[in-house]
Amino acid sequence: MSETIEEKCLSKGVKLTDQRRIIAKVMSDSTDHPDVDDLYQRVSKIDPKISIATVYRTVKLFEESGILTKHEFKGGKARYEELNEGHHDHLIDVKTGEIIEFVDEEIEKLQKKVADKYGYKLVDHKLELYGVKVKSKDE
Amino acid sequence: MSETIEEKCLSKGVKLTDQRRIIAKVMSDSTDHPDVDDLYQRVSKIDPKISIATVYRTVKLFEESGILTKHEFKGGKARYEELNEGHHDHLIDVKTGEIIEFVDEEIEKLQKKVADKYGYKLVDHKLELYGVKVKSKDE
DNA sequence: GTAGATGCAAAGTATTTGCGACAAG
DNA sequence: CTTGTCGCAAATACTTTGCATCTAC
């Protein structure tokens, strides 16, 4: 398994405080893509004294340190997710808000090719698919 | 050539006012992807009495009517662009902010395939590439 | 004439920041 | 010790909205 967030902090020289440890743990335990407010709610259950300003400061710090990644899906607040080696993109159910993670190597390759064609080196990309569930015959 | 924004308003039953006509014209004349504030600045040069609230209301209305499309590129305000039949995605120069529009049919097809694989019908998507210009040997 | 549009200022969200108290290395 | 962090509240940035007035159709 890969490094924990705490290990990443150490290796990146990010000072560890109780608050950061809690935020790290909550993010690690989350399988969804919480926004800052969700995160604040969850963190508050563990330590009610943590302020939302600290949550904002911490996710920003973690993002800059390459520990978390920020998503700005349509029509909403910024949402965060732990960054692991396996890159993936998102398929969002527009009705339910459910998010499915997927990987498609072929699309990745084509993206590099497009950037290349225009004389660019790809440093980042964002691919979001928005869809509605197709009813199968038996429902 | 395709319909003008004014024609689109008529065919969609959107009432035309002086303000909307001006905003439509400014958007049509823009080759970049202005945010609401840019738009407000440009519109103000034509009619300084137009309020920013009207600009916000109008871009939202135009977006709902399928006349404009909204982008939320990294780290910033919402930006708008006229919606024409030819769909395209964006390659953003992370150093200069320059935006290149591109079309890649193959990527489009693969996106549909991915959605399909998970049992979804694609209703929308967002693909943004962020890159840095590659220096060619002679500069 | 009437429903809808506008301008203004006030209210909402989401996020950031100044500051004095406090804690990690 | 010293530098950076925290909590708090105030500030900021972007966007929306209530209301009285005005305008397109």
Side-chain angles (χ1 to χ4, degrees), chain A residues 13-96:
Chain A
V14 169
K15 199 185 273 189
L16 270 169
T17 62
D18 290 349
Q19 292 88 334
R20 291 183 184 168
R21 252 185 280 264
I22 292 172
I23 293 169
K25 173 149 189 13
V26 170
M27 279 305 305
S28 288
D29 290 351
S30 297
T31 56
D32 55 351
H33 302 67
D35 62 37
V36 172
D37 214 62
D38 294 333
L39 194 48
Y40 176 57
Q41 302 300 333
R42 294 176 198 177
V43 151
S44 295
K45 283 192 191 140
I46 300 174
D47 178 354
K49 298 184 68 274
I50 292 180
S51 87
I52 189 132
T54 297
V55 179
Y56 272 106
R57 280 192 272 239
T58 304
V59 291
K60 181 181 262 192
L61 172 73
F62 282 0
E63 195 202 349
E64 286 162 356
S65 310
I67 294 170
L68 297 181
T69 183
K70 179 185 192 173
H71 299 296
E72 285 165 301
F73 299 133
K74 293 209 165 188
K77 344 187 179 181
R79 302 169 57 156
Y80 290 85
E81 166 180 31
E82 189 172 354
L83 190 60
N84 286 313
E85 49 297 315
H87 162 79
H88 59 257
D89 292 304
H90 299 89
L91 166 58
I92 297 123
D93 186 318
V94 295
K95 292 255 174 64
T96 67

Coordinates of all heavy atoms in Angstrom, one line a residue, chain A residues 13-96:
Chain A
G13 N 8.2 17.7 4.5 CA 8.5 18.8 5.4 C 7.3 19.6 5.9 O 7.5 20.8 6.2
V14 N 6.1 19.0 5.9 CA 4.9 19.7 6.4 C 4.8 19.4 7.9 O 4.7 18.2 8.2 CB 3.7 19.3 5.6 CG1 2.4 19.8 6.3 CG2 3.7 19.8 4.2
K15 N 4.8 20.4 8.6 CA 4.7 20.3 10.1 C 3.4 19.6 10.5 O 2.3 19.9 10.0 CB 4.7 21.6 10.8 CG 5.1 21.5 12.2 CD 5.1 22.9 12.9 CE 6.4 23.7 12.7 NZ 6.4 24.9 13.5
L16 N 3.5 18.6 11.3 CA 2.2 17.9 11.8 C 1.7 18.4 13.1 O 2.4 18.5 14.1 CB 2.5 16.4 11.9 CG 2.3 15.6 10.7 CD1 2.9 14.2 10.8 CD2 0.9 15.5 10.3
T17 N 0.4 18.8 13.0 CA -0.3 19.3 14.2 C -1.4 18.3 14.4 O -1.8 17.5 13.5 CB -0.8 20.7 14.0 OG1 -1.8 20.7 13.0 CG2 0.3 21.7 13.7
D18 N -2.0 18.4 15.6 CA -3.2 17.6 15.9 C -4.3 17.8 14.8 O -4.9 16.8 14.3 CB -3.8 17.9 17.3 CG -2.8 17.4 18.4 OD1 -1.9 16.7 18.1 OD2 -3.1 17.8 19.5
Q19 N -4.5 19.0 14.5 CA -5.6 19.4 13.6 C -5.3 18.7 12.2 O -6.2 18.1 11.6 CB -5.7 20.9 13.4 CG -6.2 21.6 14.6 CD -5.1 22.0 15.6 OE1 -4.0 21.4 15.7 NE2 -5.3 23.1 16.4
R20 N -4.1 18.9 11.8 CA -3.7 18.3 10.5 C -3.8 16.8 10.5 O -4.2 16.2 9.5 CB -2.3 18.8 10.1 CG -2.3 20.2 9.8 CD -0.9 20.7 9.3 NE -0.9 22.1 9.1 CZ 0.2 22.9 9.0 NH1 1.4 22.3 8.9 NH2 0.1 24.2 8.8
R21 N -3.4 16.2 11.6 CA -3.5 14.7 11.7 C -5.0 14.3 11.5 O -5.3 13.3 10.9 CB -3.0 14.3 13.0 CG -1.6 13.5 12.9 CD -1.2 13.0 14.2 NE -0.6 14.0 15.0 CZ 0.7 14.3 15.1 NH1 1.6 13.5 14.4 NH2 1.2 15.3 15.9
I22 N -5.9 15.0 12.2 CA -7.3 14.7 12.2 C -7.8 14.9 10.8 O -8.5 14.0 10.2 CB -8.1 15.5 13.2 CG1 -7.7 15.1 14.6 CG2 -9.6 15.3 13.0 CD1 -8.3 16.0 15.7
I23 N -7.5 16.0 10.1 CA -8.0 16.2 8.8 C -7.5 15.2 7.8 O -8.2 14.7 7.0 CB -7.6 17.7 8.3 CG1 -8.4 18.7 9.2 CG2 -7.9 17.9 6.9 CD1 -7.9 20.1 9.0
A24 N -6.2 14.8 8.0 CA -5.6 13.8 7.2 C -6.3 12.5 7.3 O -6.7 11.8 6.4 CB -4.1 13.6 7.6
K25 N -6.6 12.1 8.6 CA -7.3 10.9 8.8 C -8.7 10.9 8.2 O -9.1 9.9 7.6 CB -7.4 10.6 10.3 CG -8.3 9.4 10.7 CD -7.8 8.7 12.0 CE -8.5 7.4 12.2 NZ -9.3 6.9 11.1
V26 N -9.4 12.0 8.4 CA -10.8 12.0 7.8 C -10.7 11.9 6.3 O -11.5 11.2 5.7 CB -11.5 13.3 8.3 CG1 -12.8 13.5 7.5 CG2 -11.8 13.3 9.8
M27 N -9.8 12.6 5.7 CA -9.7 12.5 4.2 C -9.3 11.0 3.8 O -9.9 10.5 2.9 CB -8.6 13.4 3.7 CG -9.1 14.9 3.5 SD -10.6 15.1 2.5 CE -10.1 14.3 1.0
S28 N -8.4 10.4 4.5 CA -8.0 9.1 4.2 C -9.2 8.1 4.3 O -9.4 7.2 3.5 CB -6.9 8.6 5.1 OG -5.7 9.2 4.8
D29 N -10.0 8.4 5.3 CA -11.2 7.5 5.5 C -12.4 7.7 4.6 O -13.3 7.0 4.6 CB -11.7 7.6 7.0 CG -10.7 7.1 8.0 OD1 -9.7 6.4 7.5 OD2 -10.8 7.3 9.2
S30 N -12.3 8.8 3.9 CA -13.4 9.2 3.0 C -13.3 8.5 1.7 O -12.3 8.5 1.1 CB -13.5 10.7 2.8 OG -13.7 11.4 4.0
T31 N -14.4 7.9 1.3 CA -14.4 7.3 -0.1 C -15.1 8.2 -1.1 O -15.1 7.9 -2.2 CB -15.1 5.9 0.0 OG1 -16.4 6.1 0.5 CG2 -14.4 5.0 0.9
D32 N -15.7 9.3 -0.6 CA -16.3 10.2 -1.5 C -15.4 11.4 -1.8 O -14.2 11.3 -1.6 CB -17.7 10.6 -1.0 CG -17.6 11.2 0.4 OD1 -16.5 11.2 1.0 OD2 -18.5 11.8 0.9
H33 N -16.0 12.5 -2.2 CA -15.2 13.6 -2.6 C -15.8 14.8 -1.8 O -16.5 15.6 -2.4 CB -15.3 13.9 -4.1 CG -14.8 12.8 -4.9 ND1 -15.4 11.6 -5.0 CD2 -13.7 12.6 -5.7 CE1 -14.8 10.8 -5.8 NE2 -13.7 11.4 -6.3
P34 N -15.4 14.9 -0.5 CA -16.1 15.9 0.3 C -15.7 17.4 0.0 O -14.6 17.6 -0.4 CB -15.6 15.6 1.7 CG -14.3 14.8 1.5 CD -14.5 14.1 0.2
D35 N -16.6 18.3 0.2 CA -16.3 19.7 0.1 C -15.8 20.1 1.5 O -15.8 19.4 2.4 CB -17.4 20.5 -0.4 CG -18.7 20.5 0.5 OD1 -18.5 20.5 1.7 OD2 -19.8 20.5 0.0
V36 N -15.3 21.4 1.5 CA -14.7 21.8 2.8 C -15.7 21.7 3.9 O -15.3 21.4 5.1 CB -14.2 23.3 2.6 CG1 -13.7 23.8 4.0 CG2 -13.0 23.3 1.7
D37 N -17.0 22.0 3.6 CA -17.9 22.0 4.7 C -18.2 20.6 5.2 O -18.3 20.3 6.4 CB -19.2 22.6 4.2 CG -19.9 23.3 5.4 OD1 -19.3 24.3 5.9 OD2 -21.0 22.9 5.7
D38 N -18.3 19.6 4.3 CA -18.4 18.2 4.7 C -17.3 17.8 5.6 O -17.5 17.2 6.7 CB -18.3 17.3 3.5 CG -19.5 17.5 2.5 OD1 -20.6 17.9 2.9 OD2 -19.3 17.2 1.3
L39 N -16.1 18.2 5.1 CA -14.9 17.9 5.9 C -14.9 18.5 7.3 O -14.6 17.8 8.3 CB -13.7 18.4 5.0 CG -12.3 17.9 5.4 CD1 -12.2 16.4 5.5 CD2 -11.4 18.4 4.3
Y40 N -15.3 19.7 7.3 CA -15.4 20.4 8.6 C -16.4 19.7 9.5 O -16.1 19.5 10.7 CB -15.9 21.9 8.3 CG -16.1 22.7 9.6 CD1 -15.1 22.8 10.5 CD2 -17.3 23.3 9.8 CE1 -15.3 23.6 11.6 CE2 -17.5 24.1 10.9 CZ -16.5 24.2 11.9 OH -16.7 25.0 13.0
Q41 N -17.5 19.3 9.0 CA -18.5 18.5 9.8 C -17.9 17.3 10.4 O -18.0 17.0 11.6 CB -19.7 18.1 9.0 CG -20.5 19.2 8.3 CD -21.1 20.2 9.2 OE1 -21.3 19.9 10.4 NE2 -21.2 21.5 8.8
R42 N -17.2 16.5 9.5 CA -16.6 15.2 10.0 C -15.5 15.4 11.0 O -15.4 14.7 12.0 CB -16.1 14.5 8.7 CG -17.2 14.1 7.8 CD -16.6 13.4 6.5 NE -17.7 13.4 5.5 CZ -17.5 13.0 4.3 NH1 -16.4 12.4 3.9 NH2 -18.5 13.1 3.4
V43 N -14.7 16.4 10.7 CA -13.6 16.7 11.6 C -14.1 17.2 12.9 O -13.5 16.9 14.0 CB -12.7 17.8 10.9 CG1 -12.0 18.7 11.8 CG2 -11.7 17.1 9.9
S44 N -15.2 18.0 12.9 CA -15.7 18.5 14.1 C -16.2 17.4 15.1 O -16.2 17.6 16.3 CB -16.9 19.4 13.8 OG -16.4 20.6 13.1
K45 N -16.6 16.3 14.5 CA -17.1 15.2 15.4 C -15.9 14.6 16.2 O -16.1 14.0 17.2 CB -17.7 14.1 14.5 CG -19.1 14.5 14.0 CD -19.8 13.3 13.4 CE -21.1 13.7 12.7 NZ -21.3 13.0 11.5
I46 N -14.7 14.7 15.6 CA -13.6 14.2 16.3 C -13.0 15.2 17.3 O -12.7 15.0 18.4 CB -12.5 13.8 15.3 CG1 -13.1 12.7 14.4 CG2 -11.2 13.3 16.0 CD1 -12.1 12.3 13.3
D47 N -12.9 16.5 16.8 CA -12.4 17.6 17.7 C -13.3 18.8 17.3 O -13.0 19.5 16.3 CB -10.9 17.8 17.4 CG -10.5 19.0 18.3 OD1 -11.3 19.7 18.9 OD2 -9.3 19.3 18.3
P48 N -14.3 19.1 18.2 CA -15.2 20.2 17.9 C -14.5 21.6 17.9 O -15.1 22.6 17.5 CB -16.2 20.1 19.0 CG -16.0 18.8 19.7 CD -14.6 18.5 19.4
K49 N -13.3 21.6 18.4 CA -12.7 23.0 18.5 C -12.0 23.4 17.3 O -11.5 24.5 17.1 CB -11.7 23.0 19.7 CG -12.4 22.7 21.1 CD -11.5 22.8 22.3 CE -11.0 24.2 22.5 NZ -9.8 24.6 21.8
I50 N -11.8 22.5 16.3 CA -11.1 22.9 15.1 C -12.0 23.9 14.3 O -13.2 23.7 14.2 CB -10.9 21.6 14.2 CG1 -9.8 20.8 14.9 CG2 -10.4 22.0 12.8 CD1 -9.5 19.5 14.1
S51 N -11.4 24.9 13.8 CA -12.2 26.0 13.1 C -12.1 25.7 11.6 O -11.2 25.1 11.1 CB -11.6 27.3 13.4 OG -10.6 27.7 12.5
I52 N -13.2 26.3 11.0 CA -13.3 26.1 9.5 C -12.1 26.7 8.8 O -11.7 26.3 7.7 CB -14.6 26.6 9.0 CG1 -14.8 26.2 7.5 CG2 -14.8 28.1 9.1 CD1 -16.1 25.5 7.2
A53 N -11.6 27.8 9.4 CA -10.4 28.5 8.8 C -9.2 27.5 8.7 O -8.5 27.5 7.7 CB -10.0 29.7 9.6
T54 N -9.1 26.7 9.7 CA -8.0 25.7 9.7 C -8.2 24.6 8.6 O -7.3 24.2 7.9 CB -7.9 25.0 11.1 OG1 -7.5 26.1 12.0 CG2 -6.8 24.0 11.1
V55 N -9.5 24.3 8.5 CA -9.8 23.3 7.4 C -9.4 23.9 6.0 O -8.8 23.2 5.2 CB -11.2 22.8 7.5 CG1 -11.5 21.8 6.4 CG2 -11.6 22.2 8.8
Y56 N -9.8 25.1 5.8 CA -9.5 25.7 4.5 C -8.0 25.8 4.4 O -7.4 25.5 3.3 CB -10.1 27.2 4.5 CG -11.5 27.2 3.9 CD1 -12.6 27.4 4.7 CD2 -11.7 27.0 2.5 CE1 -13.9 27.5 4.2 CE2 -13.0 27.1 2.0 CZ -14.1 27.3 2.9 OH -15.3 27.3 2.3
R57 N -7.3 26.3 5.4 CA -5.8 26.4 5.3 C -5.2 25.1 5.1 O -4.2 24.9 4.3 CB -5.3 27.0 6.6 CG -5.5 28.6 6.6 CD -4.7 29.2 7.8 NE -5.4 29.3 9.0 CZ -5.7 30.4 9.7 NH1 -5.4 31.6 9.2 NH2 -6.4 30.3 10.8
T58 N -5.7 24.0 5.7 CA -5.1 22.7 5.6 C -5.3 22.1 4.2 O -4.4 21.5 3.6 CB -5.6 21.8 6.7 OG1 -5.3 22.4 8.0 CG2 -4.9 20.5 6.7
V59 N -6.5 22.2 3.7 CA -6.7 21.5 2.4 C -5.9 22.3 1.3 O -5.3 21.7 0.4 CB -8.2 21.5 1.9 CG1 -9.0 20.5 2.8 CG2 -8.8 22.9 2.0
K60 N -5.7 23.6 1.5 CA -4.9 24.3 0.6 C -3.4 23.9 0.7 O -2.8 23.6 -0.3 CB -5.0 25.8 0.8 CG -4.2 26.7 -0.2 CD -4.4 28.1 0.1 CE -5.4 28.8 -0.8 NZ -5.3 30.3 -0.7
L61 N -3.0 23.8 1.9 CA -1.6 23.3 2.1 C -1.4 21.9 1.6 O -0.4 21.7 0.9 CB -1.3 23.3 3.6 CG 0.0 22.7 4.1 CD1 1.1 23.7 3.7 CD2 0.0 22.5 5.6
F62 N -2.3 21.0 1.9 CA -2.2 19.7 1.4 C -2.2 19.6 -0.2 O -1.6 18.8 -0.8 CB -3.3 18.8 2.0 CG -3.1 18.4 3.4 CD1 -1.9 18.8 4.1 CD2 -4.0 17.6 4.0 CE1 -1.7 18.4 5.4 CE2 -3.8 17.1 5.4 CZ -2.7 17.6 6.1
E63 N -3.0 20.5 -0.7 CA -3.1 20.5 -2.2 C -1.8 21.0 -2.8 O -1.2 20.4 -3.7 CB -4.2 21.5 -2.6 CG -4.6 21.2 -4.1 CD -5.3 22.4 -4.7 OE1 -5.6 23.4 -4.0 OE2 -5.4 22.4 -6.0
E64 N -1.2 22.0 -2.2 CA 0.1 22.6 -2.7 C 1.2 21.5 -2.5 O 2.2 21.5 -3.2 CB 0.4 23.9 -1.9 CG -0.4 25.0 -2.4 CD -0.4 26.2 -1.5 OE1 0.2 26.1 -0.4 OE2 -1.0 27.2 -1.8
S65 N 1.0 20.7 -1.5 CA 2.1 19.7 -1.2 C 1.8 18.4 -2.0 O 2.5 17.4 -1.8 CB 2.1 19.3 0.3 OG 2.1 20.5 1.1
G66 N 0.8 18.4 -2.8 CA 0.5 17.2 -3.6 C -0.1 16.1 -2.9 O 0.1 14.9 -3.2
I67 N -0.7 16.4 -1.8 CA -1.3 15.3 -0.9 C -2.8 15.2 -1.3 O -3.3 14.0 -1.3 CB -1.1 15.7 0.6 CG1 0.4 15.7 0.9 CG2 -1.9 14.8 1.5 CD1 0.7 16.2 2.3
L68 N -3.4 16.3 -1.5 CA -4.9 16.2 -1.9 C -5.0 16.9 -3.3 O -4.1 17.6 -3.7 CB -5.7 17.0 -1.0 CG -5.8 16.6 0.5 CD1 -6.8 17.5 1.2 CD2 -6.3 15.1 0.6
T69 N -6.1 16.6 -3.9 CA -6.3 17.3 -5.2 C -7.7 17.9 -5.1 O -8.6 17.3 -4.5 CB -6.2 16.4 -6.4 OG1 -6.4 17.1 -7.6 CG2 -7.1 15.2 -6.4
K70 N -7.9 19.0 -5.8 CA -9.1 19.8 -5.7 C -9.9 19.6 -7.0 O -9.3 19.6 -8.0 CB -8.7 21.3 -5.5 CG -9.8 22.3 -5.5 CD -9.2 23.6 -5.4 CE -10.1 24.7 -5.1 NZ -9.4 26.0 -4.9
H71 N -11.2 19.4 -6.8 CA -12.0 19.4 -8.0 C -13.1 20.5 -7.9 O -13.6 20.8 -6.9 CB -12.8 18.1 -8.1 CG -11.9 16.9 -8.1 ND1 -11.1 16.6 -9.2 CD2 -11.7 15.9 -7.2 CE1 -10.4 15.5 -9.0 NE2 -10.8 15.0 -7.8
E72 N -13.3 21.1 -9.1 CA -14.4 22.1 -9.1 C -15.5 21.6 -10.1 O -15.6 22.1 -11.2 CB -13.8 23.4 -9.5 CG -13.0 24.1 -8.4 CD -12.1 25.2 -8.8 OE1 -11.3 24.9 -9.7 OE2 -12.3 26.3 -8.3
F73 N -16.2 20.6 -9.6 CA -17.3 20.1 -10.5 C -18.3 21.2 -10.7 O -18.4 22.2 -9.9 CB -17.9 18.8 -9.8 CG -16.9 17.7 -9.7 CD1 -16.8 17.0 -8.5 CD2 -16.1 17.4 -10.7 CE1 -15.9 16.0 -8.3 CE2 -15.2 16.3 -10.5 CZ -15.1 15.6 -9.3
K74 N -19.2 20.9 -11.6 CA -20.2 21.9 -12.0 C -21.0 22.4 -10.8 O -21.5 21.7 -10.0 CB -21.2 21.3 -13.0 CG -20.5 21.1 -14.3 CD -21.4 21.2 -15.4 CE -20.6 21.2 -16.7 NZ -21.4 21.5 -17.8
G75 N -21.2 23.7 -10.8 CA -22.2 24.3 -10.0 C -22.0 24.0 -8.5 O -22.9 23.7 -7.8
G76 N -20.8 24.2 -8.0 CA -20.7 24.0 -6.6 C -19.4 24.4 -6.0 O -18.6 25.1 -6.6
K77 N -19.2 23.9 -4.8 CA -18.1 24.3 -4.0 C -16.9 23.3 -4.5 O -17.1 22.3 -5.1 CB -18.4 24.0 -2.6 CG -19.8 23.9 -2.3 CD -20.1 23.9 -0.8 CE -21.6 23.8 -0.6 NZ -21.9 23.8 0.9
A78 N -15.7 23.7 -4.0 CA -14.6 22.9 -4.3 C -14.6 21.6 -3.5 O -15.1 21.6 -2.4 CB -13.3 23.7 -4.0
R79 N -14.3 20.5 -4.1 CA -14.3 19.2 -3.4 C -12.9 18.6 -3.5 O -12.2 18.8 -4.4 CB -15.3 18.3 -4.0 CG -16.7 19.0 -4.0 CD -17.7 18.3 -4.8 NE -17.8 16.9 -4.4 CZ -18.9 16.2 -4.6 NH1 -20.0 16.7 -5.2 NH2 -19.0 14.9 -4.2
Y80 N -12.6 17.9 -2.4 CA -11.2 17.3 -2.3 C -11.2 15.8 -2.3 O -12.1 15.1 -1.9 CB -10.5 17.9 -1.1 CG -10.2 19.4 -1.2 CD1 -11.2 20.3 -0.9 CD2 -9.0 19.8 -1.7 CE1 -10.9 21.7 -1.1 CE2 -8.7 21.1 -1.9 CZ -9.7 22.1 -1.6 OH -9.5 23.4 -1.7
E81 N -10.0 15.3 -2.7 CA -9.8 13.9 -2.8 C -8.3 13.6 -2.5 O -7.5 14.4 -2.9 CB -10.2 13.5 -4.2 CG -9.8 12.1 -4.6 CD -10.3 11.8 -6.0 OE1 -10.4 12.7 -6.8 OE2 -10.5 10.6 -6.3
E82 N -8.1 12.5 -1.9 CA -6.7 12.1 -1.7 C -6.0 11.8 -3.0 O -6.6 11.2 -3.8 CB -6.6 10.9 -0.7 CG -5.1 10.7 -0.3 CD -5.1 9.6 0.8 OE1 -6.1 9.2 1.3 OE2 -3.9 9.3 1.2
L83 N -4.8 12.3 -3.1 CA -4.1 12.1 -4.4 C -3.2 10.8 -4.2 O -2.3 10.8 -3.4 CB -3.2 13.3 -4.7 CG -2.6 13.4 -6.1 CD1 -3.6 13.4 -7.1 CD2 -1.7 14.7 -6.1
N84 N -3.4 9.8 -5.0 CA -2.6 8.7 -5.0 C -1.9 8.5 -6.4 O -2.3 9.2 -7.3 CB -3.4 7.4 -4.6 CG -3.7 7.4 -3.2 OD1 -2.9 7.7 -2.3 ND2 -5.0 7.2 -2.9
E85 N -1.0 7.5 -6.5 CA -0.3 7.4 -7.7 C -1.2 7.2 -8.9 O -1.1 7.7 -10.0 CB 0.9 6.4 -7.7 CG 0.5 5.0 -7.1 CD 0.1 5.1 -5.6 OE1 0.8 5.8 -4.8 OE2 -0.9 4.5 -5.3
G86 N -2.2 6.3 -8.7 CA -3.1 6.0 -9.8 C -4.0 7.2 -10.2 O -5.0 7.5 -9.5
H87 N -3.7 7.8 -11.3 CA -4.6 8.9 -11.7 C -5.9 8.4 -12.3 O -6.0 7.3 -12.8 CB -3.9 9.7 -12.9 CG -4.8 10.5 -13.7 ND1 -5.3 11.7 -13.2 CD2 -5.4 10.3 -14.8 CE1 -6.1 12.2 -14.1 NE2 -6.2 11.3 -15.1
H88 N -7.0 9.1 -12.1 CA -8.2 8.8 -12.7 C -9.1 10.0 -13.0 O -8.8 11.1 -12.5 CB -9.0 7.8 -11.7 CG -9.3 8.5 -10.4 ND1 -8.6 8.1 -9.3 CD2 -10.2 9.4 -10.0 CE1 -9.0 8.9 -8.2 NE2 -10.0 9.7 -8.7
D89 N -10.1 9.8 -13.8 CA -11.0 10.9 -14.1 C -12.4 10.6 -13.5 O -12.5 9.6 -12.8 CB -11.1 11.1 -15.6 CG -9.7 11.7 -16.1 OD1 -9.3 12.7 -15.6 OD2 -9.1 11.0 -17.0
H90 N -13.3 11.4 -13.7 CA -14.6 11.3 -13.0 C -15.8 11.3 -14.0 O -15.9 12.1 -14.9 CB -14.8 12.4 -12.0 CG -13.7 12.4 -10.9 ND1 -12.6 13.0 -11.0 CD2 -13.7 11.7 -9.7 CE1 -11.8 12.8 -10.0 NE2 -12.5 12.0 -9.2
L91 N -16.7 10.4 -13.7 CA -18.0 10.3 -14.4 C -19.0 10.7 -13.3 O -19.2 10.0 -12.3 CB -18.2 8.9 -14.9 CG -19.6 8.6 -15.4 CD1 -20.1 9.5 -16.5 CD2 -19.7 7.1 -15.9
I92 N -19.8 11.8 -13.5 CA -20.7 12.3 -12.5 C -22.1 12.0 -13.0 O -22.5 12.5 -14.0 CB -20.4 13.8 -12.2 CG1 -19.0 13.9 -11.7 CG2 -21.5 14.3 -11.3 CD1 -18.1 14.9 -12.4
D93 N -22.9 11.4 -12.1 CA -24.3 11.2 -12.4 C -25.0 12.5 -12.1 O -25.1 13.0 -11.0 CB -24.8 10.1 -11.4 CG -26.3 9.7 -11.7 OD1 -27.1 10.6 -12.0 OD2 -26.6 8.5 -11.7
V94 N -25.6 13.1 -13.1 CA -26.2 14.5 -12.9 C -27.4 14.4 -12.1 O -27.9 15.4 -11.6 CB -26.4 15.2 -14.3 CG1 -25.1 15.4 -15.0 CG2 -27.4 14.4 -15.2
K95 N -28.1 13.3 -12.0 CA -29.3 13.2 -11.2 C -29.0 13.0 -9.7 O -29.5 13.7 -8.9 CB -30.2 12.0 -11.7 CG -30.7 12.2 -13.1 CD -32.2 12.5 -13.1 CE -32.7 12.8 -14.5 NZ -32.7 11.6 -15.4
T96 N -28.1 12.1 -9.5 CA -27.9 11.7 -8.1 C -26.6 12.4 -7.5 O -26.4 12.4 -6.2 CB -27.7 10.2 -7.9 OG1 -26.4 9.9 -8.6 CG2 -28.8 9.5 -8.5

